[in-house]
């Protein structure tokens, strides 16, 4: 781990231990916020409920149960990475934060495992190590609501439902690695949620098959409100400690952070490798504080989904996002809310505000105006595209972001190329 400490780099074991403090922090918080017996009952309820968008586990099982579900699941995934001797890099941080964030409103202790089994079988089929595809598998658990939904097909006997759940999850995991590799070429890294784009395609196919057999996919909105002050304190402490830790442990961290701010943030970027862990910690803390305050200042609710969205930004602060490339995109969504027929505090809109930052590389490379346009377009696509798969892809904004990047980037590049040719006096 480059320059994480002043005297010598931290060992891989210590890096994973530090990362484990994040879920542990919320497990402890959850134990203080809800009695233990209610937490256990809440986790059971979380597992039993359908999980498609938008299902806030703060309502389903209680705040404490949601935090414990997310924390324990994240710790298990960190343990898997450590047991497999994975290299510690920016994607380790990103996948951990996404697993935690989306385990507040869609992923639970039961519904992710068959997808990971499918990824494991894919690696075995191609006679390669599962470490090569593990992060894709973790991201791909965005489709876990499909696994839960199959279990709720009440017209089928229980053994058949269990078999279909397992088969569906395994198929999803098996097709994810090749599809996520393929779709990356369509947006060329300008949308950071690449597996979310692939997940949207898979969800569209599977949900279409289910509907053709008469399975009804109902819309859902379960949304927690009323405890913003509690969550502001909880998150501010965490993000403040991140910033202080980064500054204290490396005297060059602020200079490295400035290097992060100068980068484009294209997909494949790894700030952990290029700038070191201390600068990444500062970037994560700053982005977390700013996005949390953004939500509060526009009048939004802090709850399972929005905290999950904040942690998505925090996670990708290790692999592409920083203030200079996320704020223009978020501003575009905010401007759109003033011009369109929805309010920025609507549940889907506030999630689009946070998760539109998948398009941060567009603002990073092409500038503020391009970023604002990207956010403006993204808000419309994200609020409408989910209808094709009924909320079964938790990374709905990843699918929408991929579409926007495919549409917008070639147009921007063609305009830029034309201007470059004109400046050179070449024939157009």
């Amino acid at each position: 781990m480059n320059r994480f400490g002043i005297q010598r780099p931290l060992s891989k074991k210590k890096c994973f231990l530090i990362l484990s403090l994040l879920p542990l922090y919320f497990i402890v918080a959850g134990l203080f916020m809800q009695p233990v017996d209610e937490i256990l009952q809440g986790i059971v309820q979380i597992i039993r409920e359908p999980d498609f968008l938008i299902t806030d586990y703060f309502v389903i099982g209680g705040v404490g149960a949601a935090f414990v579900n997310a924390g324990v699941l994240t710790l298990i995934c960190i343990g898997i990475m450590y047991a497999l001797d994975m290299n510690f890099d920016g994607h380790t941080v990103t996948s951990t934060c996404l697993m935690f964030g989306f385990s507040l409103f869609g992923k639970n202790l039961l519904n992710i495992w068959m997808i990971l089994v499918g990824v494991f079988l894919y690696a075995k089929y191609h006679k390669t190590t599962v470490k090569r595809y593990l992060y894709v598998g973790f991201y791909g658990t965005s489709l876990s609501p499909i696994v839960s939904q199959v279990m709720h097909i009440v017209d089928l006997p229980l053994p058949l439902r269990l078999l279909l759940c397992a088969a569906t999850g395994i198929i999803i995991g098996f097709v994810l690695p090749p599809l996520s590799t393929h779709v990356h070429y369509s947006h060329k890294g300008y949308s950071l949620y690449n597996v979310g784009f692939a997940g949207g395609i898979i969800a569209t196919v599977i949900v279409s098959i289910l509907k053709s057999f008469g399975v009804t996919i109902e819309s859902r909105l379960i949304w927690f409100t009323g405890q913003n002050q509690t969550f502001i304190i909880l998150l501010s402490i965490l993000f403040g400690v991140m910033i202080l830790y980064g500054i204290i442990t490396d005297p060059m961290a602020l200079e490295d952070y400035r290097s992060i701010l100068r980068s484009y943030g294209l997909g494949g970027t790894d700030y952990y490798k290029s700038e070191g862990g201390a600068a990444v910690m500062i970037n994560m803390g700053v982005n977390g504080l700013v996005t949390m305050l953004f939500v509060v200042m526009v009048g939004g609710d802090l709850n399972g989904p929005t905290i999950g969205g904040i942690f998505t930004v925090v996670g990708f602060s290790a692999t592409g996002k920083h203030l200079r490339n996320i704020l223009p995109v978020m501003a575009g969504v905010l401007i759109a809310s003033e011009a369109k027929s929805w309010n920025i505090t609507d549940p889907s809109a506030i999630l689009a505000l946070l998760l539109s930052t998948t398009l941060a590389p567009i603002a990073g490379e092409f500038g503020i105006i391009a970023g604002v346009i990207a956010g403006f377009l993204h808000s419309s696509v994200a609020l409408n595209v989910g209808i094709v798969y009924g909320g079964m892809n938790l990374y709905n904004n990843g699918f929408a972001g991929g579409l926007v990047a495919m549409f917008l980037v070639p147009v921007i590049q063609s305009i830029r190329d034309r201007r470059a040719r004109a400046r050179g006096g070449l024939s157009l």
Side-chain angles (χ1 to χ4, degrees), residues 62-98:
V63 175
F67 279 151
V68 172
N69 172 73
V72 171
L73 189 55
T74 304
L75 281 176
I76 293 171
C77 292
I78 292 173
I80 291 172
M81 290 187 283
Y82 182 74
L84 290 174
D85 197 29
M86 300 280 288
N87 291 326
F88 194 99
D89 56 22
H91 297 285
T92 310
V93 177
T94 301
S95 63
T96 297
C97 288
L98 263 67

Side-chain angles (χ1 to χ4, degrees), residues 111 114-115 146-152 158-172:
N111 66 6
M114 286 299 102
I115 294 175
I146 296 178
V147 179
S148 296
Q149 181 63 26
V150 172
M151 195 55 162
H152 288 82
L158 179 61
L160 183 55
R161 278 186 279 160
L162 290 172
L163 182 62
L164 283 175
C165 280
T168 302
I170 290 171
I171 290 170
I172 290 170

Side-chain angles (χ1 to χ4, degrees), residues 387-410:
I387 193 172
V388 300
Y389 43 72
M392 292 295 173
N393 176 23
L394 293 175
Y395 300 167
N396 176 62
N397 282 268
F399 185 54
L403 294 175
V404 172
M406 288 172 58
F407 169 79
L408 188 58
V409 171

Side-chain angles (χ1 to χ4, degrees), residues 126-340:
H126 287 279
K127 295 181 170 46
T128 186
T129 174
V130 71
K131 293 192 291 185
R132 183 175 177 183
Y133 303 111
L134 186 62
Y135 293 140
V136 171
F138 284 161
Y139 297 140
T141 55
S142 64
L143 296 171
S144 55
I146 296 178
V147 179
S148 296
Q149 181 63 26
V150 172
M151 195 55 162
H152 288 82
I153 304 176
V154 293
D155 295 335
L156 299 176
L158 179 61
L160 183 55
R161 278 186 279 160
L162 290 172
L163 182 62
L164 283 175
C165 280
T168 302
I170 290 171
I171 290 170
I172 290 170
F174 196 88
V175 302
L176 260 173
L179 188 57
S180 60
T181 299
H182 179 76
V183 299
H184 182 270
Y185 295 107
S186 62
H187 58 75
K188 299 181 180 178
Y190 287 97
S191 176
L192 293 175
Y193 309 161
N194 182 60
V195 177
F197 189 29
I201 296 171
I202 294 171
T204 300
V205 172
I206 293 178
V207 170
S208 298
I209 293 172
L210 291 175
K211 286 182 177 180
S212 70
F213 282 97
V215 177
T216 303
I217 309 295
E218 299 178 358
S219 60
R220 181 175 239 205
L221 176 58
I222 300 176
W223 190 257
F224 183 89
T225 62
Q227 285 197 30
N228 275 18
Q229 187 173 1
T230 301
F231 299 132
I232 288 171
I233 295 171
L234 191 66
L235 294 175
S236 295
I237 292 172
L238 176 65
F239 298 141
V241 168
M242 285 181 175
I243 295 169
L244 287 175
Y245 185 86
I247 293 172
I248 292 171
T249 55
D250 188 345
M252 292 295 295
L254 289 175
E255 183 59 38
D256 292 334
Y257 175 61
R258 283 190 282 269
S259 296
I260 289 176
L261 292 175
R262 291 190 291 267
S263 71
Y264 292 161
L266 279 169
T269 297
D270 190 335
Y271 294 140
Y272 182 88
K273 286 184 176 180
S274 63
E275 307 301 337
V280 167
M281 196 76 88
I282 294 171
N283 195 39
M284 292 169 68
V286 169
N287 290 350
L289 279 175
V290 170
T291 50
M292 177 194 70
L293 292 174
F294 212 117
V295 170
V296 173
M297 286 189 296
V298 300
D301 299 304
L302 290 175
N303 52 26
T306 55
I307 292 174
I310 290 167
F311 270 93
T312 301
V313 178
V314 170
F316 276 95
S317 299
T319 51
K321 296 184 182 180
H322 54 74
L323 283 186
R324 288 185 63 189
N325 66 8
I326 66 173
L327 288 179
V329 181
M330 295 176 73
V333 177
L334 190 59
I335 292 169
S337 71
E338 298 297 325
K340 299 178 183 179

